[in-house]
């Protein structure tokens, strides 16, 4: 994963996205929310766990290869390894690389649904959330039951697939804009603005 994939949008991209969403919402009675996050969790346990495993394995190898090394020296080697590797694994791209994919996707999904509940609880009846977690490479569209059911079969999946294709080309902001526009089209069709 490149570090540039974890950078937030530029000010201009952020303004373009905000303006596009505001324009889309004028044409619908529903609420379109877009959440883009660098990562869905800190995964604080993984750097320490992987560093601890490496330190234990290193200690075992050193005692097999050099059994004459004193136990105090071995503990110092293991402790130093633990500290150094923990600090190295704290770097976000590396930390995300050591977390299993299913765990990252589970955390991203949980955050997406928490965000949806927070927005849906704000009083709007029809809500669609476009959730993007860059670190986990996770995208989900969450809609209220009525809106989800009204959308044509496969519409949400198609939006996500097109978004992912745009992101693979390195155009995250354009992908967000296109996905928001596609969600907005569905909302305008099924929940038009009441004039």
């Amino acid at each position: 994963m490149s570090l540039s994939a974890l950078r937030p949008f530029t000010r201009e991209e952020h303004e373009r996205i905000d303006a596009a969403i505001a324009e889309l919402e004028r044409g619908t009675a529903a609420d379109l929310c877009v959440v883009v996050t660098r990562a869905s969790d800190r995964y604080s346990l993984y750097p320490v766990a992987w560093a601890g495993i490496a330190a234990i394995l290193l200690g075992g190898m050193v005692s097999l290869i050099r059994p004459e090394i004193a136990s105090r020296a071995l503990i110092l080697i293991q402790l130093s390894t633990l500290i150094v590797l923990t600090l190295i694994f704290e770097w976000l791209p590396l930390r995300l690389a050591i977390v299993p994919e299913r765990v990252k996707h589970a955390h991203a999904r949980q955050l997406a649904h928490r965000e949806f509940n927070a927005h849906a609880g704000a009083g709007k009846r029809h809500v669609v959330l476009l959730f993007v977690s860059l670190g986990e490479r996770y995208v989900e569209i969450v809609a209220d039951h009525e809106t989800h059911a009204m959308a044509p079969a496969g519409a949400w999946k198609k939006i996500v697939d097109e978004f992912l294709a745009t992101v693979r080309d390195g155009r995250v902001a354009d992908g967000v804009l296109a996905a928001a526009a596609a969600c907005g089209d569905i909302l305008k069709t099924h929940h038009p603005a009441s004039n």
Side-chain angles (χ1 to χ4, degrees), residues 44-54:
S44 302
L45 176 64
Y46 286 89
V48 176
W50 281 105
I53 290 168

Side-chain angles (χ1 to χ4, degrees), residues 164-183:
L164 292 173
T166 305
V167 170
R168 277 187 215 105
D169 294 338
R171 301 181 341 234
V172 178
D174 292 338
V176 168
L177 286 167
C183 290

Side-chain angles (χ1 to χ4, degrees), residues 26-42:
R26 281 194 275 281
T28 179
D31 191 18
L32 174 63
C33 307
V34 176
V35 174
V36 179
T37 183
R38 292 180 65 198
S40 294
D41 197 333
R42 284 203 28 82

Side-chain angles (χ1 to χ4, degrees), residues 12 52 87 113 127:
E12 294 79 22
L87 292 173
H113 287 265
V127 178

Side-chain angles (χ1 to χ4, degrees), residues 7-151:
R7 288 190 187 134
F9 297 121
T10 64
R11 172 179 266 176
E12 294 79 22
E13 289 172 333
H14 196 68
E15 289 171 358
R16 276 179 43 213
I17 292 168
D18 286 345
I21 291 169
E23 179 62 33
L24 289 169
E25 286 188 332
R26 281 194 275 281
T28 179
D31 191 18
L32 174 63
C33 307
V34 176
V35 174
V36 179
T37 183
R38 292 180 65 198
S40 294
D41 197 333
R42 284 203 28 82
Y43 306 105
S44 302
L45 176 64
Y46 286 89
V48 176
W50 281 105
I53 290 168
I56 290 169
L57 290 175
L58 178 65
M61 288 189 328
V62 168
S63 46
L64 285 174
I65 296 169
R66 304 277 312 260
E68 69 276 2
I69 291 183
S71 58
R72 285 185 182 174
L74 188 58
I75 291 171
L76 184 60
I77 290 170
Q78 288 178 306
L79 187 59
S80 300
T81 302
L82 176 68
I83 292 169
V84 169
L85 287 179
T86 299
L87 292 173
I88 290 171
F89 289 152
E90 277 296 318
W91 185 49
L92 184 60
L94 192 53
R95 186 177 346 138
L96 289 170
I98 63 175
V99 177
E101 204 68 28
R102 65 178 174 73
V103 172
K104 289 189 286 191
H105 286 185
H107 282 250
R109 181 171 171 73
Q110 288 172 356
L111 182 58
H113 287 265
R114 282 197 310 266
E115 287 288 332
F116 176 78
N117 290 333
H119 286 89
K124 283 268 192 167
R125 184 169 170 216
H126 302 293
V127 178
V128 171
L129 171 74
L130 171 62
F131 179 83
V132 180
S133 186
L134 298 173
E136 288 82 356
R137 297 179 181 168
Y138 183 86
V139 181
E140 184 174 0
I141 298 173
V142 186
D144 62 89
H145 293 294
E146 184 180 336
T147 304
H148 183 76
M150 288 179 167

